[in-house]
Amino acid sequence: MSVNIETHWHPTTKLNAIGNELDFSRIDPLPSGVERDQIEEYCYTVEQLYGAYIETIRNKTILSQREAQTWVLRNLVHEGADRLTFDAVGLYIWAIGRETSGDPLSRTIIAEYHDHAVSKIDDATATMMHAGAPPYPDDVLDDPVALWVDATARRRIANRRLTDESYSDVLERLLDETAHTISLEELVKTYQNQFNSLATVAVQTVRPAWDREIPLSVHINSEDETSVDEPNDITTSQLIPEVVSTADMLSFNNQVLPFSVESRPATTGTDSMLVIYADGAHHESVSVADGIVRLTRAIDAADETLQTVSDRAQASGVCALGVRNEPVGNGMHLVLIAPSSLAVHPGDEPGGFIPPERLSVADRTLSVERVTNVTPTLYHEEYRPDTTLIWVANKTSMAESCVESHLDGPSSIPETNSAQRELFPTSVLQTG
């Protein structure tokens, strides 16, 4: 696998030629005869053409840095240049603003960034087309002047901004304030007043993205249960108070999030749920105040950086964090190596360790699809050959069983993006 590059070619043509010969099935996907320094030189020339405009889009729109880079480089063509392929864009993002010690971003990853950017641009276009009545008909967009709000509205939004808030933050907050919101305390009291006894309120943390739209499971211990014996009947609207069913958002501890409710009998198990209220009859008693603490801790732990999750692991007594070399579904299989006495839970205990739902690594977010908790001994016996350690606790603070197991891996999280990516198997990185 090689590529011949003519010196008179434009840098974008050279990047396209190299990108066409990338082979991600090899340890080194770059074609033979191509030096990493060459690629970096071509990319920095391209950066002189497009970099300032990319930064303008990044700062003035809701596109992320990667989305702005991908969309501009894929869709806009500078005079004398070629349109970059997805593979060439991956080379550019890989080389600009980072050490070129990892692998270029694959076509799949770049295509996802591009799809996200196109979706956001389509949403913005649709908003512009339907934001007002004539004299702004659809055909104005053939030669548009994008005016999101008039001067008076812009000043009013600016006056409502808090310190360090972006305009998007202001609009989100103002929309939250206009939504019909119910507090977690009010929700529990409403159920207690309407039914003979509210047994349990729990969060179905096994649901995807549960921390972004709270899926509540309300378990009712009342005479009303006897009239709805079938599971399909138990979730009917008769068991959801009107003040709850008409609410849009759930508030707790200064957070406001969308939510949904399913009603179930009190006898329904809660082993796979995060209990945030229990009367003590079918589950160990949990007050609303303690439930709010549990829910807040769990949400805070759901989406973390590699550094923050390693800090929590160190403080909790985890020996090491590993990743299975093959992905699971659309994400990673996280392996927690810890003493058998360490509790691993979704947030319903004061100590222990709460696994993350998503992990931010360098320029991508990896979904944690499965978590396995093993002792150091079991790790060496069964998991070691197919697991990559991404972090190992400082030996001075390790439990004795951890020290004796001689875990070999990085004891700190590197600062550079490329070094962080090197911690993970390539197959796992390609899921993010």
Side-chain angles (χ1 to χ4, degrees):
M1 181 180 67
S2 62
V3 58
N4 294 320
I5 299 176
E6 301 291 339
T7 56
H8 64 274
W9 285 355
H10 192 281
T12 55
T13 307
K14 296 176 181 178
L15 287 176
N16 282 343
I18 297 171
N20 290 339
E21 298 300 327
L22 292 176
D23 184 357
F24 286 94
S25 65
R26 297 165 50 123
I27 295 176
D28 184 356
L30 296 180
S32 60
V34 176
E35 300 294 332
R36 295 169 186 259
D37 289 345
Q38 285 180 264
I39 297 174
E40 192 170 24
E41 177 185 346
Y42 303 151
C43 289
Y44 274 103
T45 303
V46 173
E47 197 268 345
Q48 298 301 310
L49 299 176
Y50 298 96
Y53 189 58
I54 290 171
E55 290 306 310
T56 298
I57 290 183
R58 168 67 184 90
N59 294 329
K60 299 296 184 181
T61 72
I62 61 173
L63 296 187
S64 69
Q65 177 74 13
R66 297 289 174 257
E67 291 165 352
Q69 287 175 319
T70 303
W71 187 84
V72 170
L73 295 173
R74 183 72 184 113
N75 294 281
L76 305 183
V77 183
H78 197 276
E79 184 177 356
D82 289 339
R83 188 185 303 276
L84 289 176
T85 64
F86 281 142
D87 294 301
V89 176
L91 288 168
Y92 177 92
I93 295 178
W94 170 64
I96 294 298
R98 69 181 62 207
E99 298 173 9
T100 52
S101 56
D103 290 336
L105 276 66
S106 71
R107 183 181 308 174
T108 301
I109 294 173
I110 296 301
E112 282 193 10
Y113 285 135
H114 186 264
D115 289 345
H116 292 162
V118 170
S119 177
K120 289 181 179 180
I121 292 171
D122 288 345
D123 289 345
T125 302
T127 301
M128 291 168 56
M129 292 176 65
H130 301 93
Y136 301 106
D138 292 353
D139 57 13
V140 171
L141 290 175
D142 292 337
D143 185 17
V145 177
L147 297 176
W148 288 92
V149 294
D150 61 26
T152 302
R154 189 166 62 248
R155 284 195 299 272
R156 293 182 65 187
I157 294 173
N159 291 337
R160 297 292 296 273
R161 289 179 66 189
L162 302 178
T163 304
D164 297 328
E165 267 193 332
S166 67
Y167 278 96
S168 293
D169 293 334
V170 180
L171 294 174
E172 287 281 359
R173 179 168 53 81
L174 295 177
L175 289 171
D176 287 345
E177 291 175 359
T178 61
H180 182 189
T181 302
I182 186 171
S183 68
L184 183 55
E185 297 95 329
E186 184 183 356
L187 182 144
V188 171
K189 288 180 180 178
T190 299
Y191 272 96
Q192 288 174 329
N193 292 336
Q194 180 158 330
F195 299 100
N196 295 337
S197 176
L198 172 65
T200 311
V201 178
V203 179
Q204 302 176 62
T205 52
V206 295
R207 293 276 195 90
W210 67 267
D211 59 305
R212 297 172 179 175
E213 182 172 350
I214 309 297
L216 294 180
S217 179
V218 178
H219 299 197
I220 301 167
N221 182 24
S222 72
E223 294 176 357
D224 298 277
E225 270 187 47
T226 60
S227 63
V228 281
D229 296 327
E230 295 298 322
N232 290 338
D233 291 330
I234 293 173
T235 58
T236 55
S237 59
Q238 290 89 340
L239 293 181
I240 302 179
E242 184 178 359
V243 68
V244 175
S245 63
T246 57
D248 304 304
M249 312 289 278
L250 181 70
S251 65
F252 57 94
N253 196 28
N254 297 321
Q255 298 197 54
V256 180
L257 290 170
F259 77 107
S260 60
V261 176
E262 291 186 25
S263 295
R264 294 184 169 92
T267 52
T268 304
T270 58
D271 289 344
S272 61
M273 302 181 189
L274 174 63
V275 176
I276 54 177
Y277 169 80
D279 65 357
H282 296 83
H283 185 283
E284 181 182 352
S285 179
V286 178
S287 68
V288 177
D290 288 341
I292 290 174
V293 172
R294 288 182 174 189
L295 183 54
T296 303
R297 287 181 64 221
I299 288 177
D300 289 344
D303 200 341
E304 293 194 288
T305 65
L306 194 53
Q307 183 63 60
T308 58
V309 79
S310 65
D311 289 344
R312 282 202 307 109
Q314 180 84 54
S316 302
V318 174
C319 304
L321 298 174
V323 174
R324 299 291 276 179
N325 294 337
E326 293 301 321
V328 175
N330 294 320
M332 71 166 75
H333 181 173
L334 183 66
V335 178
L336 299 176
I337 306 166
S340 57
S341 58
L342 181 72
V344 178
H345 56 89
D348 51 5
E349 298 183 27
F353 182 78
I354 307 173
E357 301 280 333
R358 294 170 297 279
L359 197 57
S360 297
V361 179
D363 55 0
R364 66 201 71 187
T365 299
L366 303 178
S367 172
V368 179
E369 297 291 330
R370 185 182 303 169
V371 179
T372 300
N373 181 26
V374 299
T375 63
T377 301
L378 184 58
Y379 166 74
H380 282 290
E381 291 176 351
E382 297 184 16
Y383 284 80
R384 183 175 180 178
D386 300 313
T387 301
T388 299
L389 293 184
I390 59 174
W391 170 84
V392 175
N394 189 317
K395 286 182 170 56
T396 59
S397 60
M398 269 188 182
E400 185 176 349
S401 60
C402 297
V403 176
E404 294 174 350
S405 64
H406 303 294
L407 295 166
D408 186 18
S411 59
S412 61
I413 302 301
E415 293 184 1
T416 63
N417 287 350
S418 59
Q420 285 192 15
R421 289 195 301 273
E422 290 294 328
L423 297 174
F424 289 80
T426 300
S427 59
V428 174
L429 281 177
Q430 289 175 344
T431 67

